[in-house]
Amino acid sequence: MSHGTALPLSPVSPGAGEGTRTHCPYCSLQCGMTLVGRRTTTVQPWAEFPVNEGALCRKGWSATGLLGHRERLTTPLVRDRATGEWSSATWDEALDLVASRIREVQAEHGPDGVAVFGGGGLTNEKAYQLGKFARVALGTSQIDYNGRWCMSSAASASTRAFGVDRGLPFPLADVEHADVVVLVGSNLAETMPPAARHLDRVRENGGQVVVIDPRRTATADRADVVLQPVPGTDLALALGVLHLLVAGGHVDDTYIAERTTGWEAVRDAVAAWWPERVERVTGVAAPELRALADLLASRERVMVLTARGAEQHAQGSDTVLAWIDVALALGMPGKEYAGYGCLTGQGNGQGGREHGQKADQLPGYRMIDDPAARAHVAAVWGVEPDSLPGKGRSAYELLDALGTPAGPRAMLVHGSNIVVSAPRATHVQERLESLDLLVVCDLVMSETAALADVVLPVTQWAEETGTMTNLEGRVILRQQARPVPDGVRSDLDVVAGLAQRLGSPIEFATDPEEVFAELGRASAGGKADYAGITYDRIRDEQGVFWPCPAPDHPGTPRLFADTFATPDGRARFHAVEHRGPAEVVDGDYPVHLTTGRVLAQYQSGAQTRRIGDLPDDGAFAEMHPLLANRLGVADGMPVTVATRRGEMRLPARVTTTIRPDTVFVPFHWLGVNRLVNDALDPASRMPEFKVCAARVVAA
Ligand SMILES: Nc1nc2c(c(=O)[nH]1)N[C@H]1C(S)=C(S)[C@@H](COP(=O)(O)OP(=O)(O)OC[C@H]3O[C@@H](n4cnc5c(=O)[nH]c(N)nc54)[C@H](O)[C@@H]3O)O[C@H]1N2
Ligand SMILES: Nc1nc2c(c(=O)[nH]1)N[C@H]1C(S)=C(S)[C@@H](COP(=O)(O)OP(=O)(O)OC[C@H]3O[C@@H](n4cnc5c(=O)[nH]c(N)nc54)[C@H](O)[C@@H]3O)O[C@H]1N2
Ligand code: SF4
Ligand SMILES: [Mo]
């Protein structure tokens, strides 16, 4: 079946009229929605879907704005490097051209001369096919994806501590039954608005919400306790909490003895983190820290949730490990309505890192250097295990190597707007421009597509079917609601068309349901086992939680009740040290620059900046009145923010809600990533998006 075959519309519910149940194109909540109308499509609630119960944020309500948009790409485009002119091509011409250029590059530079860059917004089917395409049709080890920039630090920490990485090891709705919810670096109220209702219910039920963020955000407005540490110091804060839990005799000795290993080293390491020392490092007053430790010690069910504020640091994975240590010391992981979880980010941030588009991975969350994993996956693919390449470079290291003597000379991009979202973006843009061939598949002419030699227009969300795995590990089904626009093809067709032209030894299916069934077989026996999940089950059960190894297995909403996924079944404590940010403030660059999101825009903005119903005011520099007064600027006046890598002019947004030593700039508009540092976390290879040293002056 080809991409053009529309699937039958599935009725919403008896009496609800025509419509297709599907899910939002954006974040990892994957809110359920109903799309009505095949040509002019409107969004209606899908009230029964449990994750959002009919609620959507404004991005969800306006998501159909990009269907039939005038800037939508509908024909392959080829750019003449000499003149910069674009000309349209037929699909056969474009794919023939790309395949022949790939063959030239590989003839000269070997299989690793060609790289693939994927995205956490791609469906599981696409992520799976992309990984297989790279390893089998291209034979390259050089594949990675933007999820490295998203939650790789939490993934690496969870794998080390629990033996498995699933964002939340429990359904999101469990949050509201906790006694204390600690949000470390999450602005949930703006980044997953429908989820914020759970915080309100925690408080209605008598529980407390703690928010840790250098800014007093919309999420902090819904909290009982707000701590505003210096950016990049969450690790020291966690060590301070542990110190007080030990000193007060509040650790759960029975749990530690029965369910964990490694506690003694942590206990010894935190002895030196007395509150006054923590205060000097974090800026959080010692009494506030004591109050937090007392609160955590006094309640039955404590839930610690991290997001990018804590994770996007050169010590992000250690920071997450330290907060996991807090949860373990209190005896929480595996206990009902308690534990540790990471709030994933992109629509398929979870599934996107399970099925093989990560440099070190094969489907089912298997590791590519594990001989048994290679043998299993190779058998499903019908190739020899030895033919599969080994581990490749991580996302930033891959971009950094492009066009260098040892690096790839060509790259295919599916689902990322790299020049807006990568750190040290000026350098990354130079690397992209040095390639012999850049191919970008996108819906629109993104800033990255504009640099390409060939742009291939692909289907989006409502025009195709596929599964996504949301922040809870729930596999959901996005169903096609609209016909495929003329001239547009799915990423699955692109991959299949190129594989065939490259003389791939195996065929690539293009029907998503067929690909999903194969993915199930490839994942069977792995950590993220999808073998028992089918499209029909997802429809009937409102999603299925992995692992789900067999058709008669109910799926696994909650992990760790009896055992952890480590070889000995115990969770692991990790003694970690606070190193601080890679770049510290000094006389020349005295301010902490941090970056993040606003409610109305999504990621690089390629999609949301084109939606007329969403405000698009451009980037701004949020700063405290104390800083603004020192610079002599008032709200709305232009400032220049400079770092050792670049500078940017933008309006000041003056507010008392941010620390006076910190400036916040959203990254949805081209610019701030030219300033951001490219220091990487040693374990996860996550760039330090959340802190670098900056200077701000009136412009
Ligand atoms: N509106 C909107 N929603 C989105 C997205 C979007 O682009 N727009 N993207 C989706 C994706 S992919 C992701 S990953 C998630 C991200 O979701 P979040 O992690 O909630 O979003 P961010 O704004 O990146 O960062 C959260 C907070 O971290 C704070 N912060 C900065 N530095 C530090 C620090 O050193 N320590 C602590 N504790 N906090 C710090 C920032 O002030 C910010 O309020 O959102 C998803 N949802
Ligand atoms: N300074 C700073 N930088 C950051 C962050 C930060 O907090 N601060 N956060 C980081 C994080 S968490 C993330 S997740 C990244 C995200 O940053 P990006 O990787 O740039 O993510 P998007 O903007 O979602 O880009 C997706 C692109 O793919 C296109 N697209 C959408 N669907 C499809 C599809 O099905 N197929 C194909 N081929 N294309 C599609 C869209 O039009 C868009 O151009 O940014 C990171 N960068
Ligand atoms: S919260 Fe996320 S999934 Fe839900 S409507 Fe908004 S962007 Fe879409
Ligand atoms: Mo993300």
Side-chain angles (χ1 to χ4, degrees):
M1 190 165 95
S2 91
H3 64 93
T5 314
L7 291 172
L9 290 177
S10 57
V12 180
S13 55
E18 191 215 6
T20 307
R21 281 172 170 175
T22 192
H23 298 268
C24 175
Y26 306 121
C27 87
S28 63
L29 213 52
Q30 282 303 291
C31 293
M33 56 167 65
T34 305
L35 290 182
V36 179
R38 299 265 298 164
R39 293 284 158 190
T40 311
T41 307
T42 57
V43 178
Q44 302 287 334
W46 171 8
E48 302 80 28
F49 187 67
V51 178
N52 58 309
E53 297 176 323
L56 299 170
C57 78
R58 59 193 303 178
K59 297 187 296 302
W61 288 119
S62 62
T64 52
L66 210 57
L67 300 168
H69 192 278
R70 63 188 160 75
E71 286 184 61
R72 183 70 194 284
L73 299 173
T74 54
T75 180
L77 295 168
V78 178
R79 188 169 61 104
D80 180 327
R81 284 222 175 170
T83 64
E85 295 285 307
W86 292 98
S87 52
S88 43
T90 66
W91 271 95
D92 277 337
E93 287 165 354
L95 293 176
D96 286 348
L97 173 68
V98 172
S100 75
R101 300 283 303 277
I102 286 176
R103 273 200 301 269
E104 282 165 30
V105 168
Q106 291 194 317
E108 201 178 330
H109 302 279
D112 280 358
V114 178
V116 178
F117 201 91
L122 301 176
T123 61
N124 287 315
E125 291 79 356
K126 293 181 181 186
Y128 169 80
Q129 287 296 70
L130 215 51
K132 177 168 123 179
F133 171 76
R135 273 65 175 243
V136 178
L138 294 173
T140 182
S141 67
Q142 301 296 300
I143 174 168
D144 212 61
Y145 80 123
N146 69 6
R148 278 287 175 186
W149 304 336
C150 189
M151 39 165 319
S152 58
S153 289
S156 131
S158 289
T159 302
R160 283 155 74 192
F162 304 124
V164 68
D165 150 43
R166 198 183 87 185
L168 297 180
F170 38 69
L172 182 68
D174 277 12
V175 168
E176 53 193 63
H177 304 292
D179 297 319
V180 186
V181 177
V182 186
L183 292 168
V184 196
S186 160
N187 185 10
L188 198 74
E190 290 198 75
T191 53
M192 301 172 188
R197 74 189 189 282
H198 297 301
L199 302 182
D200 299 340
R201 290 184 195 159
V202 168
R203 302 175 77 194
E204 283 159 27
N205 294 340
Q208 300 216 26
V209 175
V210 179
V211 166
I212 301 174
D213 193 311
R215 302 185 304 139
R216 179 176 270 275
T217 57
T219 312
D221 290 344
R222 310 170 92 125
D224 305 276
V225 179
V226 180
L227 302 183
Q228 292 188 258
V230 175
T233 64
D234 301 271
L235 205 171
L237 203 63
L239 298 177
V241 170
L242 282 163
H243 174 98
L244 290 168
L245 293 177
V246 174
H250 298 304
V251 300
D252 186 337
D253 294 316
T254 314
Y255 177 95
I256 290 173
E258 286 173 0
R259 300 211 55 186
T260 72
T261 58
W263 166 242
E264 288 73 18
V266 172
R267 185 195 57 207
D268 296 347
V270 300
W273 285 94
W274 55 92
E276 289 69 24
R277 179 178 175 203
V278 175
E279 176 174 329
R280 279 200 301 281
V281 173
T282 66
V284 173
E288 291 184 62
L289 188 70
R290 287 200 174 88
L292 174 62
D294 288 345
L295 175 66
L296 300 185
S298 65
R299 300 301 175 99
E300 277 294 301
R301 292 186 290 259
V302 175
M303 205 176 256
V304 178
L305 303 175
T306 62
R308 302 314 83 76
E311 300 162 8
Q312 289 175 325
H313 293 277
Q315 60 173 9
S317 52
D318 280 355
T319 300
V320 175
L321 284 170
W323 283 98
I324 290 176
D325 286 345
V326 171
L328 289 172
L330 292 164
M332 297 298 159
K335 185 168 170 177
E336 195 178 39
Y337 306 134
Y340 164 78
C342 157
L343 298 158
T344 67
Q346 299 183 82
N348 199 24
Q350 184 65 46
R353 67 174 183 276
E354 296 166 357
H355 300 295
Q357 60 174 335
K358 209 171 162 193
D360 54 359
Q361 256 176 27
L362 289 173
Y365 224 127
R366 289 184 163 91
M367 301 319 288
I368 202 163
D369 49 12
D370 168 5
R374 295 169 68 87
H376 172 84
V377 173
V380 174
W381 288 351
V383 299
E384 285 302 315
D386 288 346
S387 72
L388 300 178
K391 203 165 146 176
R393 293 180 173 91
S394 75
Y396 184 76
E397 288 161 304
L398 175 59
L399 298 177
D400 190 35
L402 295 177
T404 63
R409 308 288 325 174
M411 187 163 78
L412 311 176
V413 179
H414 295 257
S416 181
N417 188 4
I418 295 166
V419 293
V420 178
S421 54
R424 205 180 154 205
T426 312
H427 169 70
V428 167
Q429 179 163 343
E430 282 165 14
R431 301 306 345 130
L432 289 171
E433 285 168 346
S434 75
L435 288 172
D436 298 336
L437 173 69
L438 177 63
V439 180
V440 174
C441 296
D442 209 307
L443 337 167
V444 291
M445 188 59 92
S446 72
E447 286 81 355
T448 307
L451 302 175
D453 299 287
V454 181
V455 175
L456 300 173
V458 290
T459 45
Q460 58 178 321
W461 157 69
E463 300 156 358
E464 58 185 18
T465 291
T467 62
M468 311 281 283
T469 306
N470 82 347
L471 79 170
E472 314 164 282
R474 183 197 302 258
V475 184
I476 55 98
L477 184 64
R478 277 196 193 156
Q479 306 200 88
Q480 185 179 3
R482 298 252 298 193
V484 175
D486 288 343
V488 173
R489 293 190 184 177
S490 158
D491 292 279
L492 295 178
D493 295 285
V494 173
V495 163
L498 287 177
Q500 184 243 322
R501 284 169 176 79
L502 291 166
S504 162
I506 54 170
E507 276 190 44
F508 284 73
T510 55
D511 171 39
E513 194 161 4
E514 194 179 327
V515 176
F516 187 74
E518 185 187 308
L519 179 164
R521 292 194 295 280
S523 75
K527 289 206 158 144
D529 191 331
Y530 284 40
I533 309 178
T534 61
Y535 280 16
D536 282 337
R537 275 194 67 179
I538 299 174
R539 286 191 195 96
D540 293 345
E541 300 170 32
Q542 305 199 317
V544 180
F545 292 81
W546 70 256
C548 179
D552 57 358
H553 186 286
T556 315
R558 294 181 182 81
L559 301 171
F560 313 146
D562 307 314
T563 184
F564 293 98
T566 52
D568 61 6
R570 286 162 176 263
R572 298 205 156 80
F573 278 100
H574 286 82
V576 289
E577 258 312 309
H578 176 72
R579 301 185 297 276
E583 189 180 63
V584 289
V585 292
D586 59 17
D588 293 333
Y589 296 95
V591 177
H592 305 283
L593 170 63
T594 191
T595 61
R597 298 164 164 79
V598 297
L599 201 170
Q601 292 294 326
Y602 189 69
Q603 311 279 64
S604 73
Q607 290 158 281
T608 46
R609 279 187 275 120
R610 290 180 164 84
I611 291 182
D613 290 341
L614 293 173
D616 176 8
D617 306 331
F620 54 85
E622 187 178 292
M623 64 181 73
H624 194 276
L626 286 173
L627 178 58
N629 288 346
R630 210 160 67 226
L631 306 175
V633 300
D635 190 54
M637 280 170 62
V639 295
T640 301
V641 180
T643 69
R644 290 192 173 81
R645 291 152 296 278
E647 61 177 51
M648 181 184 192
R649 193 184 144 110
L650 65 188
R653 183 171 292 181
V654 181
T655 165
T656 56
T657 52
I658 188 168
R659 288 182 59 89
D661 58 6
T662 302
V663 166
F664 169 86
V665 180
F667 82 101
H668 310 293
W669 296 269
L670 190 69
V672 76
N673 271 324
R674 294 178 176 156
L675 278 57
V676 164
N677 197 1
D678 62 354
L680 302 183
D681 180 285
S684 66
R685 319 313 282 166
M686 165 74 86
E688 193 149 62
F689 287 117
K690 284 293 190 270
V691 62
C692 66
R695 175 172 59 222
V696 189
V697 292

